[in-house]
Structure formats: C-alpha cells, structure tokens
Amino acid sequence: MKMNLLIDELSSIDSYRRYGKINRVVGLLIESKGPSASVGDVCLIHIKNGRKKVMAEVVGFKDENILLMPYTSIAQISPGCLVEATDKPLEVKVNDELIGQVCDSLGHPSSGMAFSKPVVNVPTNQDPPDPMTRPRITEPIELGIRSINGLLTVGKGQRVGIFAGSGVGKSTLMGMIARNTTADLNVIALIGERGREVKEFLEKDLGPEGIKRSIVIVATSDQPALMRIKGALTATAIAEHFRSEGKNVLLMMDSLTRVAMSQREIGLAIGEPPTTKGYPPSVFALLPKLLERTGTDQHGTITAFYTVLVDGDDLDEPISDTARGILDGHIVLDRALAQKGQYPAINLLKSVSRVMNTISTPDHLRAALKFRSLLSQYSESEDLINIGAYKQGSSPEIDEAIHFRPKMLTYLRQAESESVNLKDSVHQLINDFGQEMSSNGV
C-alpha cells in the first residue's frame, strides 16, 4: 500500500526543467521567450556559459514574452541567455538565529552566518490575516518615549506612520523606540537609505543594545527597484513568522515613500500609465496589501511604524495621504519645532493615535485632553504673546496656557539617551495636567 502511494507521488512530480531564452533588454526590463511562469515567480538567468545564475522575478507579460526584472544589475546579461523557471515565488529562511543579524533584501545575513538550527522557508508575498479573525487591540505597548506613551499611546498591533521631511529626526526617533520598547524583538527595514547612513544608524541610533534584539534588513538606494521592494516584503514576512510563534514584534520601516517610489519605477517600466504625481495604479494597490499584513492575529502581534517622507513638508501629497488613510495613527515631526530645539520634534496637534481611547484609563485620557487643549490655546496666541501684545488677565484660558507652558515643554522634550516607561509617563501627565486650575489660572 505504501509502495503504491510512493509510486503515485513520484509519477505526479514534474521532472522537467523549463527554459526560455532572452531576446531583448529594455531599460530595467528583460524580455524572454518562455519559460512558462506566473507573475511573482522567481527565474534563474544563466550567464557566462551557465557558470553563473542571476535571480529575476516575473513582473508581467507582453504578447508571448515574459517580462523579468533582476534582483541585481543587468550587467553581463545578453541575448540568448537561458532563463530557467523555478515555479515558485521568493522565500526567505527564518529562525531565531537571525536575531542580531543585518541581512540583505533576500534575507541573507551580511556576516555570512550559516544556520545551525532548522529553518522555516517563508514566502515574502503573503495575504493579510482575515479581518474577522483579528483580535481587537486592547493593550498598550511600551515605547520609552514620554510624549508618545502619554499623549499618543500606541497599542500592541497598532500601525503608525511617522511623517516628516528630511533631517527632522526620524532615524533618531526610530532608534529610541527600538532600544526602549518592551516588544519581544524588532524587525527594522532600511529601504532606499544612503549607504553612508546605514552604519551610522546601526552604531549611533540603534546601538549595541538595540542590535542584539533586532533583525535589520538593508536595501540601499543604489540597488535595483525590485530589491528595495523585496526588502520591505522580506522584513514583513520575517515579522509575520515570529508573530505566528506568539511573539509581540515591533516592525519599523524607513521609508514607506521609497517603497512606493520603487514600485513607481517598476510600474512605469512595464508600461503602466502614470496617474497622480507620476505614480501608477500599482503603487496604490501595493500599499494597502503591505500595510494590512501587520497588526494582530490569533497568535501574536506586529506593532508597526512606517516613516513617510513628505516633500516640502506637504502632508497632503499622494503617498502621505494614502498611508494616513490606511494606518491606525500618525506622528508628525515638525521642522519648526526641531529648529527651536524641541526633540523629539513631535507636533502633537497634528498627530493622533486612533486606538488610544480604547486602551487608556479615563484619568489618562482626561489629562491628555487637557494637555492638548492648553497646547492648542498657547499655539493660537503665541504670536501675540511673543510680541507683548497680550495683556495678562484678558483671557483666563490664555493665562492658564502661559502658566503651564514650562511644564508642557518639559514633558515634550526628551534626551536621546533618556528612557521613560509608560507608567511614569502617564503618572507625570495626570499629576501635572489632570487637576483643574483655579479660576485665576494660578
């Protein structure tokens, strides 16, 4: 009986290797006559008489040709090179030995580490969890940053965007969160970064204490667009693997904008029509597929932070607007605040956490609302106060905001090396802003 089953299994195996042949290279794309393959499948291009193979992915079709995009440069690829089908999409090898490693977009550790324990092959493209099986977010996560813990409380499984222009402190904020969080491990994707900034982030912002509990995926700006997208997908797949093991994972991606730009390169190369600001439709299809993969499932959680570059500090540009509509909250870093020396330069009045109301106590919410009210009152009257046009006693609300101004600045400012836990953040907020002021504001 067992022999018959084995014979049936062997007879069902496809023992043929399918090959095609390259007939054209245009820009980023390689056209090949065959082999039979599906979109997303990995193919191997044989160059130098078959002594070297280049991995490429099927990204589309044109007439009877398949369109390939290589994971590396197209140098040394010539007409007539054989293309071998693997009949499967890209998979990455994952186990606990990856923690503490820096990997490329394909999940290969840069240290050359060989796995000594069994690994799991995880597809980089996966479907998001069924929304009907997702548990609700009910518990806050510790991030070590007072202003976020107290005023923008983040829950386990929440997805948050960090919106900022260049040079406003995104990398520093990410490093602080990675070092101070109580998540079981960090998965950090550096997508489209300058090569100089990678080691700077690892050594300065993340530091040894952050690296030893993190898996870092790096795809620098000089790499092909497909590799940059694969970096984002690989990081998400690794986070999903550890979530399936019941862990609370913190995923950070810098930046979502560069992922969108990479997809724009690919979309335009395969002939998609440009739409809003030159972004083809596939960009706006990719973002929700990628972002919805994180969050909660029946086993564990992925709390995700995505940085979004805003051109000219414009929060309404297409990628920012799309991401803000998908994510569960956004933290806006303000250049004007950074220039005043307020770090982290979080513009509280433009930032929001959409799950804070469900995971915080009434006293905490009351104090946070009072803080926002005072900050808003002061911001609206700041010009009058600075030029001396406001006369004390004219408005009890403005007097109260002026009185609390030093405490607000103290609460919002935090040194890079400082860590403030969630309990202390909330306790300080309630003590300083949870009590009603007297009628004269003092």
Side-chain angles (χ1 to χ4, degrees), residues 280-342:
S282 62
V283 172
F284 302 102
L286 171 69
L287 291 179
K289 284 183 180 178
L290 177 64
L291 301 180
E292 287 292 344
R293 287 171 61 180
T294 55
T296 61
D297 73 358
Q298 306 99 310
H299 309 289
T301 65
I302 300 175
T303 307
F305 286 87
Y306 300 93
T307 67
V308 181
L309 295 169
V310 286
D311 295 332
D313 296 329
D314 177 15
L315 292 172
D316 295 322
E317 60 95 25
I319 302 305
S320 301
D321 200 40
T322 302
R324 199 164 57 242
I326 300 168
L327 296 170
D328 307 317
H330 50 272
I331 296 171
V332 177
L333 302 185
D334 195 317
R335 191 177 305 278
L337 295 176
Q339 290 169 349
K340 293 178 182 179
Q342 178 182 313

Side-chain angles (χ1 to χ4, degrees), residues 220-241:
T220 50
S221 58
D222 60 296
Q223 295 185 19
L226 189 59
M227 281 292 273
R228 282 175 264 146
I229 291 178
K230 286 300 172 187
L233 297 175
T234 294
T236 305
I238 291 172
E240 287 172 321
H241 167 77

